[in-house]
Structure formats: C-alpha cells, structure tokens
C-alpha cells in the first residue's frame, strides 16, 4: 500500500482524524473513544483496526495510544489541511501574483491579513493601502508600483515631505504615464534628496510597499484595478519582500530627470 492510499484512508473519514487527535491528548480505551469522539462503537472499532494496521496507533493494556509515526502523520496531515485552507482563501491573490507566488513563504500567511474587494466594498484593498501610507511612521521606504494612481501619490505625500529615505521602482509604462499626466509631481520627486526613482526594464504585475515594520503587497486585475492587499508585520514576509525588492532593484536603472539630456 502506497502513500496515496494512506492519505486517502485518513482523508476519507473525519472520524479517523478525530480519533487520532483524541489519542494525541491521552490514551483511551475503545469504550472511552466512543464517548470522547461521539461515535458509535462499530465506527470506532473499524477506524481503530485501520489505524492500528498502519502502525499509527497501538494497544497497550487495553488502552489505545498514538505511536510516534501516527503523531507525525497527524501533524503533517494537519499542515496539509492548513495549507489548503490558506490557498483556498488566498487563491485569487496568489494567481494574480503569478510566478512570484512560488517564492512566497505560505506558512507566514497565517500571520498576515488579506484585504480584498467585495460587492459591498469594491475599493476595500485600495482604501486599506492608502490608509497605511497616510499613517505610516518609518525611516525607510522601499516600493514597487505597477500602476499610476493620483490617490496613492497623494497618500504618500506625508512620507515624501519628511526625511524618510525612499526608493520606488516602476516600469516603462508607469514612467510614460507619469511623464504625460503627472510631470509636475515627478519633477517634485526628482528634486528631493531623500527620494530615488528607478525604472524596471520589464512590465510589473504587482505592487510592494516596505516600511520599517510592515509590508504591503498589492495585486491588480487586467484593468489595473487594485483587487487585493496583503498586510503583514511578520519578519519572514518582510524578509521575502526585501529579497523581491533587491532582485528588481538590481535589474532597474535610475530614472532620469526631465531636464537631463539623453
């Protein structure tokens, strides 16, 4: 019998998982398991037969107890269930994040908040993102922007006008749009000693904002509408975000001032 058959056996009945969880707490007699798990005697008997034959539980002195192997199986099964729950909840965000999602530390998502748009609040993600900017207190800021938004530019003004060390990476399309529609804002940014703008050579499909103690990751739909915003203070996610930024920063070039000759 192979691993898939064992997984199918455990996943095929919540009763088997419940019995393993109960035995992890302490050994039980069969009659005690029927009461503790609220199951019939025949159901417990069949489940114990299957679990014992796989070496996941053992009987000693009339009591059933979890084996070391059974404890490992249960722990990994619970981890799999948790991962599936996270992927189910975060599925659209991960899909929009694309290849970058392959490097995302999924275990750290349990310590993160995902703000998504809904029919009741179609701008929830954008509102959360801008609110974090308006209230941020940070000595450094590192960001990646894949869309042009006057709302986000306005929200970032409190940081821009402080001594915060700021770097922002955009792609060619965002730079062109900024030159066309927000040239004054772009010029103001160039004039600040604490703000540096970089241009990435390929199209960007996500947004990133790294503060001293917080990271925000944005995903957009095909129209450029912000749909999800990950918010976390977890060190693992912040470390991942810094790695992502550094990788993109390595391939980016410093954007030129409008007055600079070609």
């Amino acid at each position: 019998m192979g691993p898939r058959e064992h997984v199918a056996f455990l996943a095929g009945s919540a009763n088997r998982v419940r019995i393993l969880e109960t035995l992890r707490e302490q050994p039980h007699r069969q009659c005690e398991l029927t009461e503790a798990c609220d199951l019939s005697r025949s159901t417990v008997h069949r489940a114990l037969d299957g679990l014992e034959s796989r070496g996941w539980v053992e009987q000693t002195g009339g009591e059933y107890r979890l084996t070391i192997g059974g404890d490992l199986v249960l722990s990994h099964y619970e981890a799999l269930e948790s991962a599936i729950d996270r992927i189910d909840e975060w599925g659209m965000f991960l899909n929009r994040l694309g290849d970058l999602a392959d490097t995302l530390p999924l275990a750290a998502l349990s310590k993160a908040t995902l703000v998504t748009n809904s029919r009741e609040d179609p701008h929830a993600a954008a509102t959360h993102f801008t609110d974090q900017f308006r209230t941020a207190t940070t000595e450094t800021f590192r960001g990646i922007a894949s869309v042009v938004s006057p709302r986000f530019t306005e929200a970032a003004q409190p940081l821009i006008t402080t001594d915060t060390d700021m770097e922002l990476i955009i792609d060619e399309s965002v730079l062109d749009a900024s030159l066309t529609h927000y040239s004054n804002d772009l010029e103001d940014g160039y004039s600040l000693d604490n703000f540096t703008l970089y241009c990435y050579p390929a199209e960007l499909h996500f947004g990133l904002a790294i503060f001293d103690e917080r990271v925000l990751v944005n995903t957009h739909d095909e129209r450029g509408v912000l749909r999800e915003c990950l918010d976390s203070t977890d060190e693992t996610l912040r470390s991942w975000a810094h790695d992502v930024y550094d990788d993109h920063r390595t391939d980016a070039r410093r954007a030129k001032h409008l007055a600079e000759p070609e």
Side-chain angles (χ1 to χ4, degrees), residues 90 93 96 112-117 123-133 152 207-209 211 214-220 226-232:
W90 295 69
F93 170 80
R96 289 193 177 99
T113 299
L114 183 66
V115 180
T116 62
N117 295 345
H123 306 294
T127 299
H128 182 83
F129 182 75
T130 53
D131 286 347
Q132 294 308 309
F133 254 106
F152 298 159
L208 186 66
F211 306 98
R214 182 180 300 276
V215 60
L216 305 173
V217 185
N218 297 332
T219 54
H220 305 79
L226 197 157
R227 299 298 300 272
E228 294 97 9
C229 179
L230 175 154
D231 184 345
S232 180

Side-chain angles (χ1 to χ4, degrees), residues 12-218:
S13 172
N15 296 334
R16 298 163 190 158
V17 177
R18 195 183 316 166
I19 288 173
L20 288 179
E21 292 172 337
T22 303
L23 292 178
R24 180 168 56 187
E25 296 174 2
Q26 66 180 60
H28 284 72
R29 295 181 181 274
Q30 182 173 320
C31 60
E32 294 171 337
L33 281 171
T34 62
E35 182 177 352
C37 299
D38 193 23
L39 299 171
S40 68
R41 182 176 179 180
S42 60
T43 297
V44 171
H45 178 72
R46 288 193 302 270
L48 286 173
D49 277 351
L51 295 171
E52 190 174 16
S53 68
R54 288 167 171 79
W56 298 347
V57 302
E58 60 184 8
Q59 185 181 180
T60 305
E63 287 187 330
Y64 287 90
R65 65 182 65 247
L66 202 62
T67 64
I68 295 176
D71 188 46
L72 287 172
V73 166
L74 180 58
S75 296
H76 285 290
Y77 181 78
E78 289 172 335
L80 175 62
E81 284 190 319
S82 179
I84 291 173
D85 284 342
R86 285 196 297 271
I87 292 172
D88 184 50
E89 177 187 358
W90 295 69
M92 289 304 298
F93 170 80
L94 296 174
N95 290 340
R96 289 193 177 99
L97 200 55
D99 292 341
L100 201 59
D102 293 337
T103 66
L104 189 68
L106 294 181
L109 296 185
S110 61
K111 301 177 182 179
T113 299
L114 183 66
V115 180
T116 62
N117 295 345
S118 64
R119 181 175 299 178
E120 295 75 18
D121 189 354
H123 306 294
T127 299
H128 182 83
F129 182 75
T130 53
D131 286 347
Q132 294 308 309
F133 254 106
R134 290 192 181 98
T135 59
T137 301
T138 183
E139 293 184 0
T140 63
F141 169 81
R142 300 292 181 264
I144 296 176
S146 59
V147 297
V148 179
S149 171
R151 181 179 182 181
F152 298 159
T153 301
E154 179 184 352
Q157 285 303 312
L159 282 184
I160 294 175
T161 55
T162 65
D163 292 331
T164 301
D165 177 20
M166 302 185 68
E167 292 184 5
L168 180 65
I169 300 174
I170 59 177
D171 61 26
E172 294 285 355
S173 63
V174 174
L175 180 59
D176 290 343
S178 299
L179 289 170
T180 302
H181 302 289
Y182 308 105
S183 59
N184 290 335
D185 291 333
L186 200 59
E187 282 293 283
D188 290 342
Y190 281 131
S191 67
L192 299 173
D193 293 333
N194 62 313
F195 179 80
T196 307
L197 184 66
Y198 296 93
C199 189
Y200 190 69
E203 185 177 2
L204 295 166
H205 299 281
F206 68 98
L208 186 66
I210 308 172
F211 306 98
D212 288 348
E213 298 181 356
R214 182 180 300 276
V215 60
L216 305 173
V217 185
N218 297 332

